Amino acid sequence: MMKKGIGSRAISTTVLAAATLVGSLAVAAPAFAQDAEATSDWEISGNAGIFSQYRWRGISLSDEEVAFQGGIDVAHSSGFYVGTWGSSLAGFGSYGGANTEIDVYAGYAGEAGGFGYDIGAIWYLYPGTSGTDVVEITASLSKELGPVGASVGVAYAPKQDSLGNDDSFYLYTDWSAAIPNTPVSLNAHLGYTDGSLSIDRGFSTDGDYLDWSLGASVSYDKLTLGVSYVDTDVKGGDPSINKITDSAIIVSLTAAF
């Protein structure tokens, strides 16, 4: 999912914002869990993690600083789901200098004709700012190709005030594979942004760019250690933009619950 920004904030601010977010999610989780126990058709899951920086569609929204993230999902056996997810930021100036991003989403997932599908919507919120929230409509198809999992998808942001009354498309494909008899998984990603969320021409409402990543992860029980190489084809121009779109190695430690 494009998150945004430029500029930096003291790390204590981002730690506090993330701690508050994850703490509130943790407090809410027991009440959800009690309801889930009484209704087997519902499933609740959560996650929390620390990342060497927050990259979204190839852009460092944490201004190359450490980011703290966490989320909770509630899913029904029918395929319907809702959830929320958040991350600390570094005051990405294009979005009002927000230090926190909170995403709220809902959708429906299922299978048909041997393919998995997922249709939904995401609302990106930036507390403490105005005129920066963005809504996207999403759709994806997935398929197991032997030991390899593959998916293709699109995220469309309709015309809205926060995008200068313009729209934006994001097309992407993800691939993953587990190495047999090991806790190691490999993954690859390629994405293409076109429209008002493009950064290729200095935050203008036209232009396009590619982002890609290659990564590996090792899982043990509910913990996952990951490392990935992330890059874009945004080169030249404003040095401040190059800083947040150039190649980077991202290290992460996440926990599922």
Side-chain angles (χ1 to χ4, degrees):
M1 292 160 255
M2 179 171 190
K3 287 93 175 178
K4 309 70 180 166
I6 206 169
S8 62
R9 291 290 186 276
I11 189 63
S12 59
T13 303
T14 59
V15 170
L16 177 61
T20 302
L21 170 66
V22 175
S24 64
L25 293 177
V27 170
F32 279 128
Q34 292 176 2
D35 293 338
E37 289 176 0
T39 309
S40 59
D41 285 340
W42 293 93
E43 179 180 357
I44 299 174
S45 61
N47 62 86
I50 180 172
F51 294 73
S52 58
Q53 61 174 285
Y54 172 23
R55 287 265 174 160
W56 185 75
R57 298 179 185 172
I59 302 172
S60 179
L61 300 191
S62 63
D63 200 20
E64 301 186 301
E65 299 286 344
V66 172
F68 300 86
Q69 303 178 348
I72 286 181
D73 296 299
V74 180
H76 189 264
S77 59
S78 65
F80 172 76
Y81 65 87
V82 296
T84 184
W85 177 92
S87 177
S88 60
L89 303 180
F92 198 167
S94 224
Y95 287 82
N99 289 299
T100 306
E101 173 187 328
I102 298 177
D103 302 343
V104 179
Y105 48 87
Y108 186 86
E111 294 186 5
F115 288 85
Y117 63 87
D118 191 327
I119 301 172
I122 306 170
W123 185 13
Y124 302 100
L125 301 165
Y126 302 90
T129 68
S130 62
T132 57
D133 300 345
V134 175
V135 175
E136 281 189 330
I137 300 168
T138 63
S140 66
L141 288 175
S142 60
K143 179 74 173 179
E144 295 296 324
L145 305 173
V148 178
S151 66
V152 294
V154 59
Y156 174 63
K159 292 182 178 181
Q160 49 201 287
D161 290 342
S162 59
L163 299 180
N165 200 29
D166 201 352
D167 61 1
S168 186
F169 282 93
Y170 184 67
L171 305 174
Y172 66 90
T173 180
D174 291 309
W175 298 75
S176 63
I179 298 179
N181 304 315
T182 75
V184 178
S185 296
L186 305 176
N187 58 78
H189 166 86
L190 175 64
Y192 170 76
T193 299
D194 186 21
S196 57
L197 292 178
S198 175
I199 196 173
D200 192 25
R201 299 181 184 175
F203 301 109
S204 68
T205 56
D206 52 4
D208 54 74
Y209 76 98
L210 293 170
D211 71 274
W212 58 88
S213 67
L214 295 172
S217 62
V218 179
S219 297
Y220 177 76
D221 194 14
K222 296 183 179 182
L223 295 176
T224 300
L225 177 64
V227 60
S228 61
Y229 170 85
V230 181
D231 201 359
T232 74
D233 68 346
V234 180
K235 309 298 179 186
D238 190 334
S240 62
I241 293 179
N242 293 340
K243 177 184 177 182
I244 59 173
T245 58
D246 60 5
S247 61
I249 301 295
I250 312 299
V251 180
S252 62
L253 179 63
T254 60
F257 55 88

